[in-house]
Amino acid sequence: MQISTLRRPSRPFAAAKQRVHRSPVIPSAAVPATSASTQVFDYTQIEIETKPGIALFDITPQIRQRVQQLGVTEGFVNVLSRHTTTAVTINEYETRLLDDIRQFLRKLAPASDPYLHNDLHLREAPADWPGGWEAWAAQEPENAHSHLLSMVLGNSETVPVSKGQLCIGTWQSVMLVELDGPRKRTVGIQVVGTTQQQQQQQ
């Protein structure tokens, strides 16, 4: 008895190999650019000469400018008031609303109310203060209400950054709130994120 074997026609090895390894050739002039990320950790400070009493200042332009200078596309910004009688907040920077905010804060913690912090005669001056207690007391303001308002409002805000822009609403502004002016105030701005740099593939 004979057993016949059916054989499938085989493909030439060279042809199969050629098909597997065939790939398009890209001219060197057409090599695409790729984006390389660079980490940014930057801290800077801005100074503001404030007005008497309670006053608000829009510092959004300075924050935007810093983000653009650094070229950060994705990340966030920390904004910190460096004083115990100022605050940082986000809201609408509109003239009549600013008056409402000032009136509200004065009602919330009236400067004329009695506060233990204002009893200067019961407080001690710093040990190394030039001129002793009298010199310290002469320059020390009675500003307990300002400290309390600072605690209520808060001293910092964090704003996301995406596609190179601050992620705040159309009518929102980052504001420094002076609660015991006039003073020279300092605000810390820390930008953390990545930049995108175009590089050619090798």
Side-chain angles (χ1 to χ4, degrees), residues 16-164:
K17 184 176 181 180
Q18 185 179 11
R19 282 195 296 270
V20 171
H21 292 282
R22 184 180 298 162
S23 59
V25 177
I26 302 176
S28 59
V31 174
T34 59
S35 295
S37 296
T38 301
Q39 295 289 331
V40 173
F41 298 89
D42 177 81
Y43 177 81
T44 189
Q45 295 179 170
I46 60 174
E47 290 187 346
I48 299 174
E49 294 282 353
T50 65
K51 299 177 181 179
I54 298 176
L56 295 93
F57 302 86
D58 185 358
I59 58 175
T60 313
Q62 293 96 314
I63 298 171
R64 280 201 176 103
Q65 181 182 26
R66 191 58 183 163
V67 171
Q68 292 172 358
Q69 288 174 343
L70 296 169
V72 170
T73 54
E74 301 294 330
F76 58 88
V77 182
N78 287 324
V79 184
L80 172 69
S81 166
R82 303 184 68 250
H83 308 277
T84 58
T85 55
T86 62
V88 174
T89 191
I90 297 177
N91 215 295
E92 183 177 358
Y93 194 76
E94 189 275 322
T95 304
R96 295 178 66 83
L97 178 61
L98 299 182
D99 288 335
D100 291 332
I101 294 171
R102 283 190 284 267
Q103 293 181 32
F104 170 75
L105 293 176
R106 291 189 186 106
K107 293 177 182 177
L108 188 62
S112 58
D113 280 6
Y115 300 100
L116 299 179
H117 181 70
N118 293 346
D119 294 335
L120 300 183
H121 64 287
L122 299 177
R123 292 172 54 189
E124 294 183 1
D128 56 349
W129 193 271
W133 185 91
E134 289 77 10
W136 168 81
Q139 60 80 48
E140 180 69 7
E142 297 181 358
N143 59 359
H145 66 290
S146 302
H147 289 278
L148 298 176
L149 291 173
S150 174
M151 294 176 66
V152 171
L153 293 173
N155 295 111
S156 66
E157 292 284 355
T158 299
V159 181
V161 175
S162 182
K163 298 179 181 178

